[in-house]
Amino acid sequence: MDEECCDSGCKPCVLDPEDGDIPDLLNYISGEFLPARCEEWLNDLSPATGMRIARVPKSNVDDVNSAVAAARKALPEWSSLSHAQRADWLDKIANALEERCEEVAQLESLDTGKPISLARNVDAARSVTNFRFFAEEVRNFTAETFDMENATNHVVYKPVGVAGLITPWNLPLYLLSWKVAPALAMGNTVVAKPSEMTPMTASLLAEIIDDVGLPSGVFNLVHGHGEETGAALTSHSGVDLISFTGGTATGAKVASSAASSFKKLSLELGGKNATIVCADADMEKTVAGVVRAGFLNQGQVCLCGSRILIEESIYDDFVSRFLTAVEAMKIGDPADPETDLGALISADHLDKVSGYISLAEEEGGVILTGGITPEGIPKQFENGNWLSPTVIDGLSPNSRCATEEIFGPVVSIHAFSDEIEAIEIANATQYGLAGSVWTADLDKGKRIAQEIDTGMVWVNTWLHRDLRVPFGGVKHSGVGREGGRWSLSFYSHAVNICIHND
Ligand code: NAD
């Protein structure tokens, strides 16, 4: 195997000498599949093996300009369609995506390193559902009227214009479809910029959109680095709206870049979510739920409960059962349907997560399990990004490891004495995305939930999603809400027309 300096990071990537037939993914602009104009490429690496699995266009401002011009050109005709006509297009995309569901799952598992079972049941399934859900939402969408004594107000929802949609690597098509579907439904045209680390299913979506014959320029896809391609999109004067999902530090850059041209903006950012386990919780169900909340997708979900707060009186018993369940998870080959945990997204990210584990030890933490490369990882995965699920005890709830987003299979556990202390610890972070409370007393669960400063809280469950409800964070976890009618409202301008009756 040769080593080559990889364009997508400072780490060398491993080249398989037989990878001559790896695919070149292409941009999709005005109905054409194109390389970057500069003809430069980025390497897409497998998280599980470190091997190059595709090349991606290293697009720059020229490609973004072409994509935005195509989207602007397509806007008048697309925005003049009725809600029902656009809903029919979304259904066509959903149907075509559903036919290729298994391919979506395979590509997502390959590109992200996540277990195939998760890619099938969550990523692929939800991507289809997103298109179908927003088709139905927009079909049933009714605008308000407000009667006065001598006038009637009619609220009209107009498309915003060209939507720039920027997405991260942890749930690639799941999150991209969550933006593309409502943006198209409300009559906007789209320029999408997926993560350069997980470009595969965005390219598959472009293929599907081309196959169903969506008018050219309505959906455009530009691959590339965030600092180059993403930044060209957020600062572009021809883009009217940015929906961004990603890290908080990037979100700040996106916000300041979009601000000077007053783009409509939605930011879905990082999280450091608390899981509060009360003494009266059903132990068996709670252990299973807390393990899932902590480690789904290798802990790389913005909603993951990575700070586990446990009521003092059950601390030892809960921790012992929790550790048993964590250690029973099967880590390894993402393609194996029995696998619970796959690889982390990149070598850089593994370094970042491992750095936090070292920091935890400096901050007085004790690693109860994990923190190492898992034993028995097969030889073909030895250059992948592997970390065993890690549980840290003994940290102050105000320590960096307990308050900063690690975004890996790492949780810290903390004891609390009463509700007030649990709420205080839960709120002791700059983030405010989500949380969960586990208790047999539903009034108490609701009471605690209302005191946690986040956009979403679950009681006795986690990541239990109804697509009609608002989704988003407070504090440094984001600005704005998406989901159901909140998405339809974000991807449109509400205009009031007041007609005098006399
Ligand atoms: P990231 O911020 O590094 O990148 C996200 C996207 O932004 C990528 O497409 C990237 O290329 C692009 N980008 C990077 N720099 C840019 C710039 N200057 N201008 C424009 N675009 C730029 O995030 P990531 O590492 O891909 O994803 C992980 C983060 O995403 C975590 O913090 C996680 O919590 C967060 N996340 C949040 C949610 C949510 O709904 N709140 C969901 C998933 C992930």
Side-chain angles (χ1 to χ4, degrees), residues 166-170 175 193-196 225-227 230-231 234 244-247 250 253-254 268-271 302 405 407 433 471:
I166 302 177
T167 44
W169 47 258
N170 63 331
L175 289 172
K193 207 306 274 172
S195 170
E196 57 274 33
H225 275 315
E227 295 286 350
T234 58
F244 170 83
T245 300
T250 318
K253 290 186 198 168
V254 167
E268 303 284 0
L269 308 178
C302 54
E405 186 183 48
F407 214 57
L433 189 57
F471 182 100

Side-chain angles (χ1 to χ4, degrees), residues 215-238:
S216 48
V218 171
F219 172 85
N220 304 275
L221 171 68
V222 190
H223 290 290
H225 275 315
E227 295 286 350
E228 189 172 24
T229 320
L233 192 58
T234 58
S235 61
H236 200 295
S237 59

Side-chain angles (χ1 to χ4, degrees), residues 340-489:
D340 297 308
L341 290 177
L344 272 64
I345 188 67
S346 67
D348 282 349
H349 191 58
L350 175 60
D351 280 353
K352 178 194 145 184
V353 174
S354 305
Y356 269 108
I357 295 172
S358 306
L359 176 65
E361 288 180 304
E362 287 166 30
E363 289 185 310
V366 178
I367 314 296
L368 297 186
T369 188
I372 52 167
T373 308
E375 283 164 22
I377 281 287
K379 197 165 164 35
Q380 80 255 38
F381 298 125
E382 65 190 10
N383 290 308
N385 317 309
W386 297 93
L387 181 66
S388 52
T390 306
V391 179
I392 308 173
D393 195 3
L395 284 172
S396 154
N398 298 314
S399 63
R400 283 188 54 199
C401 286
T403 55
E404 295 178 14
E405 186 183 48
I406 298 176
F407 214 57
V410 180
V411 300
S412 58
I413 53 175
H414 311 267
F416 69 85
S417 55
D418 56 21
E419 258 176 72
I420 292 173
E421 193 186 15
I423 292 162
E424 204 175 282
I425 299 175
N427 289 337
T429 167
Q430 64 172 351
Y431 293 105
L433 189 57
S436 67
V437 186
W438 301 78
T439 173
D441 177 347
L442 299 186
D443 289 335
K444 178 164 72 173
K446 202 167 168 196
R447 197 166 61 230
I448 295 176
Q450 284 181 345
E451 293 301 318
I452 302 180
D453 296 333
T454 61
M456 296 157 280
V457 186
W458 285 280
V459 177
N460 294 332
T461 185
W462 176 79
L463 194 45
H464 196 67
R465 292 276 293 123
D466 180 328
L467 303 189
R468 294 168 300 179
V469 306
F471 182 100
V474 300
K475 302 199 282 187
H476 288 205
S477 288
V479 177
R481 292 289 177 274
E482 297 190 29
R485 68 177 170 84
W486 287 268
S487 288
L488 300 190
S489 159

